[in-house]
Amino acid sequence: MDGDNEKDHEVVENCLNAFECFVLRSSKEMAPHLDELCGVVLTLISYDPNFYDSGDAQDAVMEEFEEFDEDGLVDSDDDDNSWKVRRAALKVLEAMVKGLPDRLDEIYAKFAQPLINRFNEREESVKLDVFTTFGEMAQAAVIKTQPFLAASTGAPSAPSSSVLEVERPAPPKERPNAHHLIAVMPSCISQLNKQMRSKAAKTRQGALALLRILSECIPQHVEPNIPQVKDELIRAMKESNSSMRLDS
């Protein structure tokens, strides 16, 4: 992007909105251009000319941004609209996940880890879109079936030795191209744990909602990482906010 002014951002946002429509409505025609489109989207989901990522210090900087937002000292809508570009790029990625199911292997390989890195997005509304997009990727990685269908149609199970033991339904069947997404689960859960410690209630709820989606779609890959978020889940269950308690 050559310029960083408001008009430039609006032009790019409108172009990305058009790409979103093209992918959803004309996926076959867009498929040959996927590599080029992925390169553009990969760049723009992290496009933030007013923020310098200093690596290890990024988390501390993001906490400072949260404090500023809570105190009303920063109004990103007035001072910086580059977030509109990032949000529109995320919408294109979400459209690719929905509209190009036969190219999910490439999409996961290119975007799974970079999207996790965007959990540190400083604009809260865009951060929630990051969570939503990753949730769409997780849902696309499995073949959905009716809940408890396998358990209800299978052979009768042996009597349980304890009243506390409940038979688990079989997890959803993974698509063959899901391996790139599954490989980043430890990193994803680790980053979600940080977001669940956020001072912003919407961010905590968004992180909990994504964790729930992951647990429903690929529970066998989330379960080994649950100890990372155990303390934050327990804290959320004790929140005064009833919605937070229900989400946890």
Side-chain angles (χ1 to χ4, degrees), residues 61-124:
V61 173
M62 295 313 300
E63 289 179 3
E64 291 180 8
F65 272 118
E66 286 180 359
E67 292 177 1
F68 289 157
D69 288 341
E70 289 179 356
D71 295 337
L73 298 178
V74 170
D75 188 346
S76 56
D77 288 345
D78 292 338
D79 298 337
D80 172 23
N81 71 345
S82 64
W83 61 271
K84 294 181 179 180
V85 173
R86 301 193 297 278
R87 181 184 63 183
L90 287 167
K91 294 297 183 183
V92 178
L93 175 55
E94 186 175 342
M96 289 193 293
V97 172
K98 294 177 179 178
L100 299 166
D102 56 329
R103 306 293 292 273
L104 284 176
D105 186 63
E106 299 172 54
I107 294 171
Y108 290 155
K110 293 178 179 179
F111 287 99
Q113 187 58 53
L115 201 58
I116 291 171
N117 296 340
R118 294 310 303 161
F119 286 4
N120 283 325
E121 164 68 46
R122 64 187 177 92
E123 183 71 32
E124 186 175 54

Side-chain angles (χ1 to χ4, degrees), residues 226-243:
I226 285 297
Q228 293 188 61
V229 294
K230 180 185 68 174
D231 292 341
E232 295 306 318
L233 284 173
I234 293 173
R235 191 180 77 163
M237 292 175 187
K238 299 177 181 178
E239 286 265 5
S240 59
N241 186 320
S242 59
S243 297

Side-chain angles (χ1 to χ4, degrees), residues 37-55:
L37 184 58
C38 282
V40 172
V41 172
L42 191 60
T43 298
L44 295 183
I45 60 173
S46 58
Y47 171 73
D48 195 349
N50 295 316
F51 178 69
Y52 174 70
D53 181 359
S54 58

